[in-house]
Amino acid sequence: MSRRSSGLIGVWAEAQRQQQRQREAQERAAFRQQRDAERQQRAYAREVARYGREQQAEYRRQREAEARRRTEELDARVVVLEGLLASGCRAPAFRTSALARVEEIEPFAPGQLAYPVPLPDPARYQPQAGGWTAGRRAAAQQEAQARYAHDLRAAQQAEGHRQEQLAAYRRQYDAWANGRLAEVRAHNAGVAATVEALRAGDPETVVEYFSAALYASTGWPEDFPRQVSAAFDRGAGQLVLDWELPGYAVVPEVKAVRFAPSLDQDKESPRPVTQRRALYRAVLAQCVLLVLRDLFAADEFRTVRSVALNGFVDDFDPATGRRAQVCLASVLAERGAFDGLNLELVSAVDCLTEGLRGQLSARPDQRAAVRPVRRPDEVGSGVVSHGGGEEPDLLAMDPVEFESLVAELFRARGMRAVMTQRSNDGGVDVDALDPDPISGGKIIVQVKRYRGTVSPSAVRDLYGTVQGAGANKGVLVTTSGFGPGSYTFANGKPLTLISGTELVDLLHQHGLRGRLGDGAAVPTSAPTPGAPGDTPPDQDDFNTLGMTWAGTVALDVCALVCHGSRVLSDDHFVFFNNERTPDGSVRMVPAAAGDRAAIRVAFDDLPTAADRLVMVAAVDPVVNPEADLSGFTEAGIRLRDRAGTELDRLDVSDGRPGETALVLGSFRRRAGGDWDFVPGGKGYRSGLGGLVGDFGIDTE
């Protein structure tokens, strides 16, 4: 019979068993921990592998989608080329009515001058507390009556001055409106004379009209060339033209694109040479037929009996290796034969070579030339060319051609630009797309071939069109200019105003041509309320107001010539886009050393109606679009005489956070003709536009 061990040996044995159990438990725990770690590591590896496969699959999907998109673009391009003639035939025909102008005159808008000066209300002139005695009450009554009489006389004088200004402005407006209307009617009379000359078959008129018809056609892809030389044989009733055709590169060399995952690159499948050559020949034939269609369709008076057309490419002549006009197609088309064609259903190549007995190069890809039927320089009358020679006068250019030139300017700047239809365009002349991924987007372009100043209403209308179309920006291009009201409204908005002189500079910068008349004529502006007459010579006595401030904020410092709290006219608002008043008494000048901006003022020559010169400043929205006036500190105006000697330093209020425009102060005319400076300090959160609105400048 066994018995349980006791004593020291038993205690030691029990301790050994406890230690063994602890070691076994620790080993089991370590094993479980190692097993869990390995399990987690295997799960992580599986997750990484799965994520990598998903990334690879997504990358492959994106590359394959991009390849499909490129293939679809190539297919769409081929569809356009194959249907060039059919779509072109559906475009509206050019008519002489497109050359006429509408007799629209900007309505009379006197602005603040239209509102009478309010007369004082007698009910507001009650006697002040005059005491208990009858004498004091009578004195108070007399004092109230005197104040009312004084204010009434002042209001009546102001009303008389307003009526004088209104009458003067009305006379100016009537003169301007009559001149503008006479200009439009003279233009339309010229159009009528052109129509009569066209009916009579005048060679120069015929060539100019049909050249305009070709440029105005909306049936051509925008990247196709448009260059023409033409002459008219009056005796034969034959129009002879050289017309530029697209080069071989117009047909895509690539047929399809697919993504090769093993090479991680796109593989381009070339278009078969025979297919590409056949399509190019078809394109050339369609171009020739479309030119004939546009010409005969535009001939309202059946002036042209036949057309001799030579289609050429501007390329290297394989026979000489020199750049030349290589004739690839030629045809002599009689009106009777052409009228019997159904162009939307013909095979272009067969129609040209068999139906009209024309010539078409068998190997146009190798620039194998054909013989021209007749060249314009073989005609007795002068040849008119578009695309070379003297710079065109933008003021005399056909409106459609002018819009085409503006679209070409945008394309020269790396954008995509197309002209809109002539009707139902919603106020849009050119649609442009800037491909820049950061600053680009859709651009609405309006074109105004004016001689007079573009009104602010046109700028407001453009802004509404931009908002309605969801565009990123609006551009208004004109051959004339803009007034201060237009620039003020556009300030801070996604609008760009391009005047005539700026347009000419841009054209020349990008290799395009254009001029404004003979350089002697100055565009006439619509009259501005309160504007004085001719500008006198420079003043002999003047002061310079030099603006200084601490901080890095960029500011526009401006001046307003006012009567009370109203600017005399938009032209009396001197700022970055209107650098002087009409009489030159206030003008912006370069800042002297130590100043950051400067304005020159001839106080003695300010208009007699002016009793205040208000100085204002606003954050430059181009340089500091996110800034406010918290960085405008330690500001002052240095008053200098003509010799530059500092006469005084005038302190102005510092800017405040959140505000973007500030009235610095005003010089006020005192009795006797002297001027005192009164500090300002009123700030605006709505920028310069909100500030000048309080002084009567319309920015809505």
Side-chain angles (χ1 to χ4, degrees), residues 116-203:
V117 176
L119 299 179
D121 182 4
R124 301 183 60 183
Y125 292 83
Q126 298 299 324
Q128 302 294 328
W132 294 98
T133 66
R136 289 191 177 185
R137 287 195 299 273
Q141 181 70 29
Q142 292 176 354
E143 188 272 336
Q145 293 175 350
R147 283 191 291 111
Y148 172 72
H150 176 271
D151 291 350
L152 179 62
R153 285 194 301 272
Q156 290 172 339
Q157 290 175 356
E159 172 62 13
H161 180 67
R162 181 195 70 84
Q163 293 179 0
E164 292 176 359
Q165 284 186 311
L166 181 61
Y169 177 46
R170 182 73 208 200
R171 291 191 296 270
Q172 293 179 11
Y173 169 82
D174 289 341
W176 170 82
N178 292 334
R180 180 66 181 278
L181 188 60
E183 177 188 342
V184 173
R185 289 174 176 171
H187 171 84
N188 291 340
V191 172
T194 298
V195 171
E196 292 304 316
L198 186 62
R199 288 178 183 270
D202 175 69

Side-chain angles (χ1 to χ4, degrees), residues 641-664:
D641 62 14
R642 181 188 180 104
T645 304
E646 186 170 331
L647 304 177
D648 197 0
R649 179 182 172 89
L650 311 172
D651 294 329
V652 300
S653 173
D654 290 344
R656 292 175 288 271
E659 296 177 354
T660 54
L662 176 69
V663 176
L664 304 175

